Amino acid sequence: VNATGIPTNAGPRRGSKVVPEDARRNNRRLVLQRLFIEGPLSRADMARATGLTRPTVTDLVASLLAEGLVEEIGRRADQGIGKPATLVGVDPDARHVLAFDLSDDEHITAAEVDLTGKVVSRRIEPWRDHVGEQAFAQVLRLAHELVASATRPVLGVGIGSPGVVHDEGTVLEAARLRWSDMALGARMGESLGLPVHVTNDANAATIGEYTFGTTRGENLLLVRVGQGVGAGLLLGGHLYTGDRSAAGEIGHVVVDADGAACSCGKRGCLETTVTAPLLAQRLDGADPATRVDVLAGAGRSLGGALATVVAMLNVDDIVVSAPTDLQGEPFLRALATAIRERTMAAVGGHVELRYSTLGEDDVLLGAAVLVINRELNIA
Amino acid sequence: VNATGIPTNAGPRRGSKVVPEDARRNNRRLVLQRLFIEGPLSRADMARATGLTRPTVTDLVASLLAEGLVEEIGRRADQGIGKPATLVGVDPDARHVLAFDLSDDEHITAAEVDLTGKVVSRRIEPWRDHVGEQAFAQVLRLAHELVASATRPVLGVGIGSPGVVHDEGTVLEAARLRWSDMALGARMGESLGLPVHVTNDANAATIGEYTFGTTRGENLLLVRVGQGVGAGLLLGGHLYTGDRSAAGEIGHVVVDADGAACSCGKRGCLETTVTAPLLAQRLDGADPATRVDVLAGAGRSLGGALATVVAMLNVDDIVVSAPTDLQGEPFLRALATAIRERTMAAVGGHVELRYSTLGEDDVLLGAAVLVINRELNIA
């Protein structure tokens, strides 16, 4: 929620008691946040940046050093009077994270990622036409292999899954994989003996983009054009997942009641006009002019559907996550134009649209961030 | 943001240092929240409900008694062993709030409201065809009169204004009143010597409904059909206002590119199909069958525009705020049907639509709550 949002009467869930452990946990988070965001800092820098006292910072840094999460990495050169300050930084290799992107129809992408989001090694494996339990078994087997080959202690496993995913790690519904109430996180966690965090692909991409991309504000709308169309919403710096974990599931909104039949049984769903496979098919062998028309048409269609959302949310920052070969100026321009033409200038005139800065790794890196944030309690 | 939202890397604004004053302030808020929500409680009840220690609660209650905000209101009857517990409750008349609803074209509604949201007295005054500075002067004069006639110490003034309102109390744009960057809160506050809080009418109605209505969840979408069409969004228990305070401003989203010309210069804006004056005009002298058609058509139009928003936000709880004479089964049913037909069943099937439980006082009472929450720091 917006940091400047007006507070309202709050129920029991919304209050929280402040006790010493909470305070320490909170202070630890503040210090780690600064180190993750700003890089190596002296203890004095951390005290200044967080408002904590020097002794508190010194104490927290000592425990982070003991955990091996941070390291002393030399002294600052450009120092004035007195002893140069020792710089402390997160050790990128203190732990590694195993990240999975299950959103592609053709292959599973998995990676070992360090704490700064750098991919240390990557595995791409074709799905073996598996669905249901067999698909689960394939993902689990791959995870065991990655754990065995990991070069550092593994902090946890992060998964970007297609479908509707409950925050607790259960895939409520993923049509293509024929997963329904698949307790992916719990079952993999039990088998691996590691924490496993799952979110859907659009949400993972949103977290990835927010963390490593060029986002400046606290509100971000990410629209993902992949096997289907989905979106991720980051509002007030937090992922918003809705009443039933289904926020962002816009693929089956009817945009044209007289449109083409959709696999869901309705007509004219957004996914009958814009998906990666559909566009790839239309672009296949197309001449340049047709190519521009196809992409512009897709952009207009998506923009028309998003206009009300953009007006409702007043989000300036919109990121499109799409396969590289479908990206292009005509699509983005048509999308922006459709949004601007259908919203009032005070809103649409400030919208900035761009492609994900992480390219096709956005889901993978977002899944890694999910683990880092949750397991290190830094967000 | 959703309480179960996945945390993400956070910037400096998102952290906050925990210091003793914050802890005390937070604890005070917890106690006041419980008293506001649950009514009279014993000190032991409060300790149980908040998780605070008995001495902390006793200390906080002592200071609240000293402020005159709460009072001891007798002993509990149904007590087991030992001395019956003394019950402490908020004194509804400890302070009163002056609330304004400026959203109607015809008249200003103002009221003196107690701390439980009860209207103690009400003033309805026709706008004197004033706009700009003269409209401001009329509101200010009325506020001075209400302050002079207030029967209790005034906690502050709350205003629900039409237009786009910045959180700090400036009306960025209110077309009908011809206000542009009108520093309503600051100027009235200076003149009255009282805190003045301003939000737009849809946001005020949302806060009112969330606080006094039957809302159960933490997410609420309120759609207000008045002189225009606007919406308020409460997400994760907090009002969401967007990047430029314009969240919910959906009135000028184009829903039909071939539609009627709109005052804004575009064609087919939502406000060319559904507003209170437009519907009133179409219903004037209409026979019952036509009446049903008009209301159902308006519901369909609004539902078509909202479908993408409902899918994107996955909000189950939708409240319609509209003048009483425009409310009716045909409108609500057509609205619900349009949303359900255009969204997937997993989302649309759970949507519950209803009219505001506060009726036409929702803006007024929401404006009062804004003052109570902010000035008493209970949210």
Side-chain angles (χ1 to χ4, degrees), chain A residues 317-328:
Chain A
D317 203 1
I318 303 179
V319 169
V320 177
S321 163
T324 315
D325 55 340
L326 295 180
Q327 295 185 10

Side-chain angles (χ1 to χ4, degrees), chain A residues 342-344, chain B residues 249-254 262-264 266 269 271:
Chain A
R342 287 172 173 265
T343 53
M344 63 178 186
Chain B
E249 294 287 323
I250 56 172
H252 295 284
V253 171
V254 175
C262 181
S263 60
C264 76
K266 296 202 298 289
C269 292
E271 290 194 0

Side-chain angles (χ1 to χ4, degrees), chain B residues 345-369:
Chain B
V347 170
H350 296 281
V351 163
E352 291 193 17
L353 279 145
R354 57 193 165 80
Y355 285 109
S356 167
T357 46
L358 304 180
E360 296 188 7
D361 274 349
D362 52 3
V363 174
L364 200 67
L365 294 182
V369 170

